[in-house]
Amino acid sequence: MMEKNFAFSAQEGFRGAILQNYKTKQLLGIIYIAIDSLEELTLGQDIPVSANEKGKLIKIHHHNSQDSILLEVDSTSESTFEKEVNEKAGFIDYLSEIIADRKKADPSSSYTSSLFAKGINKVAQKVGEEAVEIVIEAKDDNKDLFMGEAADLLYHYLVLLEAKDYKLHEVIEVLEARHK
Ligand SMILES: N=c1c2ncn([C@@H]3O[C@H](COP(=O)(O)OP(=O)(O)OP(=O)(O)O)[C@@H](O)[C@H]3O)c2ncn1[C@@H]1O[C@H](COP(=O)(O)O)[C@@H](O)[C@H]1O
């Protein structure tokens, strides 16, 4: 299969395929493959996983109903997805720290501080309200409104954890212990 049959950006006549490390199951990225060369994909062949790295094709998964493809490859390449996920997760830690700082600040200095000052009942009530609002948006199809409510819920959930003197990493530990 020729190099020109692969691309790293979407283009006409090409189909996106998700690349996954076959050992770690880490998602590595997306490669675009010329549709008329899809039949020629062969186990063991080299697949570009980044501009200068290749991996051996180990397994091909076709998802017929969604017309999508997942390719498991043997590769030592670093995941670009993982980097993005870590960066985003890093912001949640940063936001949690700001929220913790607001707990010690003057109640009139910010919304978060004023919420802490109103006490645990008010904070818990806000989480309940935001939960109801996201449920309502879930029934509709407006991404912006849904994302707004999802962010409101996450922010107020972090405030509730802080109000209870718990840390997000403690919740993550519960999830890890539960993980099968
Ligand atoms: N991410 C948020 C965030 N998301 C939502 N909200 C607030 O949450 C409230 C939700 O809206 P509602 O209409 O439900 O609430 P409300 O009517 O304003 O308040 P209530 O009278 O119902 O209590 C709004 O006032 C939003 O501004 C947030 N407030 C603060 N942050 C972040 O928290 C950090 C600290 O912010 P300050 O508290 O502003 O310093 C910063 O990083 C902010 O970006």
Side-chain angles (χ1 to χ4, degrees), residues 91 95 98-99 102 109-113 115 118 122 126 129-130 133 151-152 155-156:
F91 180 74
L95 183 58
I98 295 175
I99 289 170
R102 294 293 187 270
S109 64
S110 83
Y111 172 79
T112 313
S113 302
L115 199 50
K118 287 176 186 157
K122 178 68 182 177
K126 287 301 296 175
E129 283 172 19
E130 300 304 344
E133 283 168 22
D152 280 353
Y155 158 77
H156 284 93

Side-chain angles (χ1 to χ4, degrees), residues 28-60:
L28 299 173
I30 295 178
I31 186 84
Y32 294 86
I33 305 170
I35 290 172
D36 50 18
S37 70
L38 281 173
E39 296 287 338
E40 298 162 35
L41 279 175
T42 318
L43 299 186
Q45 80 169 87
D46 282 340
I47 300 281
V49 291
S50 69
N52 40 30
E53 289 176 276
K54 292 189 170 71
K56 290 249 173 288
L57 180 58
I58 304 293
K59 217 168 177 181
I60 306 170

